[in-house]
Amino acid sequence: MKKSYLVLHTAVLLAGFTGVFGKLITLNQIPLVWFRVLLSTIILFLVLKLFKIERLKSTKDAFKIAKVGVLITIHWIFFYGSIKFSNISIGVVCYCLTSFFTAVLEPIINKKRFSAAQLMLSMLTLIGISLIFHFDSSYQLGIILGGNFKYFCGSIYHLQRAISQTI
């Protein structure tokens, strides 16, 4: 149990500092994300070799996973763009749009009915962000980029779920 708390707190700490690091690093969002992807690729390769995890047997599965990788890359470009063009708090506030995009995308992707409760609760998030959006126009581009960021985040969630069920 204590290990779970340690892992959870470490994840929250890293997620919280991602925005701060994104603002402090002077690179634009695209080179920043590409260096991040390169570093992640190297670390993933080393972990796979260290633990002797075998490769995927199917190129079809590799392409499915590559789609998620591309979505994650676009997702991070929008996230860091949101922070660079506004501030850290706007980028983090746009995290709240996950519930909206999940409430909209999940019924479409899974061919289910929309949940009125989920849509109404996620509309509260949209109302809050629209208050920020309309009162201070200097953050508009950051909020637009942050909205796109969360759209891709919602897409990634559903695509990863679909892939994990097929692989």
Side-chain angles (χ1 to χ4, degrees), residues 113-145:
R113 294 185 55 157
F114 285 93
S115 167
Q118 286 182 356
L119 288 173
M120 288 177 54
L121 288 172
S122 62
M123 290 303 283
L124 291 174
T125 304
L126 284 177
I127 291 169
I129 290 176
S130 69
L131 289 173
I132 297 169
F133 189 77
H134 290 295
F135 288 130
D136 195 349
S137 63
S138 65
Y139 297 132
Q140 286 181 353
L141 181 59
I143 291 173
I144 291 168
L145 290 171

Side-chain angles (χ1 to χ4, degrees), residues 3-165:
K3 182 180 177 185
S4 299
Y5 280 124
L6 180 65
V7 169
L8 176 67
H9 283 80
T10 303
V12 169
L13 186 69
L14 289 173
F17 277 107
T18 299
V20 175
F21 291 142
K23 190 69 172 182
L24 293 176
I25 296 172
T26 57
L27 286 173
N28 287 334
Q29 62 270 19
I30 293 176
L32 176 62
V33 171
W34 282 114
F35 281 121
R36 189 181 168 127
V37 168
L38 178 65
L39 182 64
S40 298
T41 303
I42 292 169
I43 291 172
L44 180 62
F45 178 77
L46 292 174
V47 167
L48 292 175
K49 287 294 182 188
L50 180 69
F51 291 107
K52 297 180 178 130
I53 298 172
E54 62 184 69
R55 302 168 116 195
L56 293 172
K57 293 173 177 56
S58 164
T59 56
K60 184 178 179 183
D61 290 341
F63 280 118
K64 286 180 183 178
I65 293 172
K67 282 188 221 176
V68 174
V70 168
L71 283 176
I72 290 172
T73 301
I74 295 169
H75 156 270
W76 282 111
I77 289 170
F78 281 123
F79 174 67
Y80 287 122
S82 174
I83 289 172
K84 297 283 185 186
F85 287 105
S86 58
N87 58 34
I88 298 169
S89 62
I90 296 296
V92 173
V93 163
C94 289
Y95 261 111
C96 298
L97 285 172
T98 303
S99 63
F100 172 74
F101 286 116
T102 301
V104 171
L105 289 174
E106 186 172 20
I108 294 170
I109 292 172
N110 295 331
K111 295 178 174 78
K112 294 182 179 179
R113 294 185 55 157
F114 285 93
S115 167
Q118 286 182 356
L119 288 173
M120 288 177 54
L121 288 172
S122 62
M123 290 303 283
L124 291 174
T125 304
L126 284 177
I127 291 169
I129 290 176
S130 69
L131 289 173
I132 297 169
F133 189 77
H134 290 295
F135 288 130
D136 195 349
S137 63
S138 65
Y139 297 132
Q140 286 181 353
L141 181 59
I143 291 173
I144 291 168
L145 290 171
N148 286 328
F149 150 65
K150 289 322 289 180
Y151 169 76
F152 282 102
C153 186
S155 301
I156 291 165
Y157 168 74
H158 293 294
L159 191 57
Q160 281 178 332
R161 224 166 104 194
I163 288 172
S164 67
Q165 292 171 354

